[in-house]
Amino acid sequence: MTAMSDAETLTTQRTFFGHPVGLANLFGVELWERFSFYGMLTILGYYLYYTLTDGGLALPKATATGIVGAYGGLVYLSTVLGGWIADRLLGMERTVFYGGVVVMCGHIALAIVPGLAGVAVGLVLIALGSGALKANASSLLGTLYADGDPRRDGGFTLFYLGINLGAFVGPLITGLLQTKLGFHYGFGAAAVGMALGLTQYVVFRRNLGEHGRTVPHPLSHKEFWRTAAIALVLIALAVVAFIVGLITLANLSQVTTGILVVASIGYFAVMLGSPSVEPLERTRVRAFIPLFIANAVFWSLFQQIFTVLAVYSDERMNWSIFGWRAPSNWIGSIEPVWIILLSPLFAAMWTKLGRRAPTTPRKFAYGVIGMGVAFLLFLPMAGTTGRSVPALFIVAIMGVFAISELMLSPIGLSVTTQLAPNAFRAQMMALYFFSVGLGTAMSGVLSGYYSADSEFAYFGILGAVAIAVGVVVWGFAPRVSRLMEGVH
């Protein structure tokens, strides 16, 4: 028996809660990456707009929340680079590892380099590393399941549980360190978390067998240097744009949104026009377009946890617990608690229902509608002033966030791996993350319209628009399902 078949036998025979054993390793590395990512992200906005005496950089509040949204969008934009590296240079498995190394270096830069220089270096490194890791960890998980395996949605939901365990613990640790010792200690904790994730990944790497080790479409030597030259030109153009003032900190979220829209259209055009894509695969890519739009709308509301709702938590919520005021960034840990509690129930539900479960387009519609309802639930407290919003009230609303997310996000990861053309498997996952990035960048754009005086209009209009989009997706669901050609 060959070494390769030995690894494959190990991967198929051993299980993790009834799933391929490789899920355990990907579960762990994603947990620690999200620990570091959300631990840093929930204190980033405060670091940018808090006064110098409070340890911050004293940027205008709207600029700070815009940067947070733009940064999140750039993280997901960089997934296309991560997908390209996996498809053309390293393969998915090695790209996950090296992406984690770059993420760790970014958090170290935030922890030890002061001022905007540390923010710039740190966020660029984290964006690039997270893009490489996120696109490929999800795609790598998809390779562990055969086509039509009914465990797939359940496996992605368990994977999503790992994401949310990290998202829950990260803000708790960084928030306490930030309030007690300072922002840079919080950023340092994020670096330690990513280091732990990398260690675990290396130790249990063999559980993945040979999955993701091959490079589907290797890059020739000539193509490599041509691509490197193009990359250098693009970097130079970005630097010049900052120098001449075309791109500023204040308009970064708008610029990022525009780039993501153009890049998404271009990426769909490349896939639909590629001779490497079979006719059936091309039809499935078309089916992905309405799901892409619905996903972007969902995340433009959801990701406001880190923009508008971060400010809301700091200025409007009563965080007093028996006389002790909890860190404001703990709002980032509330929703993951609901995910942790509900993920096993959803995983079991989808597995039990099997083919009787709602179709993927219908699940997307319910997720978008749910987010709209969640925003409308903020309306009863819109007329109050000061820190008068009870934390328990927001805990309940975050429960609606969680149910909506579970209806859409893990399902989106799963269906993307099924709709992906063979020649663009990793890059199709990057395109899925483009929709998340577009919504994240939009959360930064939308945050510029928020103020305590406009809460009723802000939450009311966004909630109503999201519900309307969800209803439209629900109506078109049968047609989208037909285009998906055999994918439920």
Side-chain angles (χ1 to χ4, degrees):
M1 183 177 286
T2 65
M4 182 174 184
S5 59
D6 276 332
E8 289 174 343
T9 300
L10 177 69
T11 305
T12 53
Q13 288 184 348
R14 296 174 59 201
T15 62
F16 174 71
F17 291 102
H19 292 268
V21 69
L23 171 62
N25 198 13
L26 296 173
F27 177 98
V29 74
E30 189 75 0
L31 184 156
W32 285 110
E33 191 273 336
R34 293 292 90 180
F35 170 97
S36 65
F37 181 83
Y38 286 113
M40 178 277 293
L41 189 61
T42 54
I43 62 174
L44 177 62
Y46 302 144
Y47 179 57
L48 294 173
Y49 78 74
Y50 273 20
T51 64
L52 296 176
T53 55
D54 289 330
L57 301 182
L59 295 178
K61 197 172 296 179
T63 299
T65 55
I67 291 172
V68 173
Y71 159 70
L74 289 171
V75 167
Y76 294 107
L77 178 62
S78 69
T79 57
V80 69
L81 177 60
W84 181 87
I85 290 172
D87 282 348
R88 306 302 303 274
L89 291 175
L90 299 176
M92 289 185 284
E93 195 273 337
R94 283 187 292 171
T95 305
V96 167
F97 172 75
Y98 290 118
V101 172
V102 174
V103 168
M104 182 179 67
C105 292
H107 287 299
I108 291 172
L110 276 171
I112 65 175
V113 180
L116 283 174
V119 172
V121 173
L123 295 188
V124 168
L125 290 176
I126 297 168
L128 292 173
S130 292
L133 193 154
K134 280 199 69 62
N136 291 288
S138 301
S139 293
L140 190 54
L141 176 59
T143 67
L144 302 181
Y145 296 90
D147 290 341
D149 191 331
R151 300 175 301 168
R152 180 183 291 266
D153 278 4
F156 272 89
T157 303
L158 286 173
F159 179 69
Y160 216 69
L161 174 61
I163 291 174
N164 283 278
L165 282 170
F168 165 63
V169 178
L172 296 182
I173 301 297
T174 59
L176 288 173
L177 289 171
Q178 176 252 311
T179 54
K180 300 296 183 183
L181 299 173
F183 283 100
H184 293 286
Y185 286 91
F187 296 140
V192 171
M194 192 65 252
L196 291 172
L198 286 170
T199 302
Q200 169 255 302
Y201 186 73
V202 171
V203 170
F204 298 104
R205 213 168 182 177
R206 66 184 184 278
N207 287 338
L208 294 169
E210 294 301 311
H211 292 280
R213 296 293 180 102
T214 59
V215 181
H217 190 195
L219 198 66
S220 69
H221 186 74
K222 181 179 179 180
E223 288 175 319
F224 174 83
W225 288 110
R226 183 169 67 243
T227 303
I230 293 172
L232 287 174
V233 170
L234 292 175
I235 292 171
L237 289 173
V239 171
V240 170
F242 266 107
I243 292 174
V244 302
L246 289 177
I247 302 177
T248 66
L249 293 179
N251 72 5
L252 192 58
S253 57
Q254 287 87 346
V255 172
T256 304
T257 300
I259 292 172
L260 280 161
V261 169
V262 172
S264 299
I265 294 172
Y267 228 84
F268 272 113
V270 167
M271 285 192 187
L272 290 171
S274 173
S276 301
V277 177
E278 300 293 330
L280 175 60
E281 294 177 327
R282 191 169 290 111
T283 299
R284 289 176 173 174
V285 171
R286 291 194 187 98
F288 189 66
I289 294 174
L291 303 182
F292 179 98
I293 295 170
N295 207 42
V297 172
F298 173 88
W299 290 106
S300 69
L301 272 64
F302 183 91
Q303 293 290 66
Q304 292 189 43
I305 291 175
F306 309 106
T307 56
V308 167
L309 296 185
V311 177
Y312 189 90
S313 174
D314 200 38
E315 298 179 349
R316 300 280 284 109
M317 286 180 61
N318 180 3
W319 278 104
S320 180
I321 303 174
F322 299 112
W324 174 71
R325 188 173 188 272
S328 298
N329 82 311
W330 279 16
I331 191 173
S333 289
I334 297 174
E335 197 264 353
V337 172
W338 283 107
I339 295 292
I340 292 166
L341 294 173
L342 295 174
S343 285
L345 299 178
F346 271 77
M349 179 176 68
W350 298 142
T351 302
K352 184 175 179 62
L353 288 174
R355 296 292 179 183
R356 293 180 291 114
T359 62
T360 292
R362 286 275 162 85
K363 291 175 183 175
F364 268 65
Y366 297 144
V368 176
I369 291 170
M371 274 308 305
V373 171
F375 261 53
L376 295 183
L377 291 176
F378 282 95
L379 297 183
M381 300 302 298
T384 60
T385 59
R387 291 190 180 127
S388 58
V389 179
L392 286 177
F393 181 75
I394 303 303
V395 168
I397 295 178
M398 290 296 110
V400 183
F401 271 57
I403 292 171
S404 304
E405 185 181 2
L406 286 169
M407 291 298 303
L408 179 144
S409 190
I411 308 307
L413 291 171
S414 177
V415 76
T416 300
T417 65
Q418 297 176 80
L419 295 177
N422 285 327
F424 293 91
R425 189 164 293 278
Q427 293 179 71
M428 183 73 164
M429 185 57 68
L431 185 57
Y432 167 82
F433 285 121
F434 269 25
S435 66
V436 182
L438 181 57
T440 304
M442 277 299 300
S443 75
V445 175
L446 293 170
S447 69
Y449 298 97
Y450 169 78
S451 69
D453 295 333
S454 65
E455 279 183 4
F456 194 91
Y458 186 85
F459 291 119
I461 292 172
L462 289 183
V465 169
I467 291 172
V469 171
V471 170
V472 170
V473 173
W474 190 91
F476 279 95
R479 182 174 182 181
V480 176
S481 294
R482 286 194 295 274
L483 289 174
M484 289 168 67
E485 290 282 342
V487 176
H488 185 60

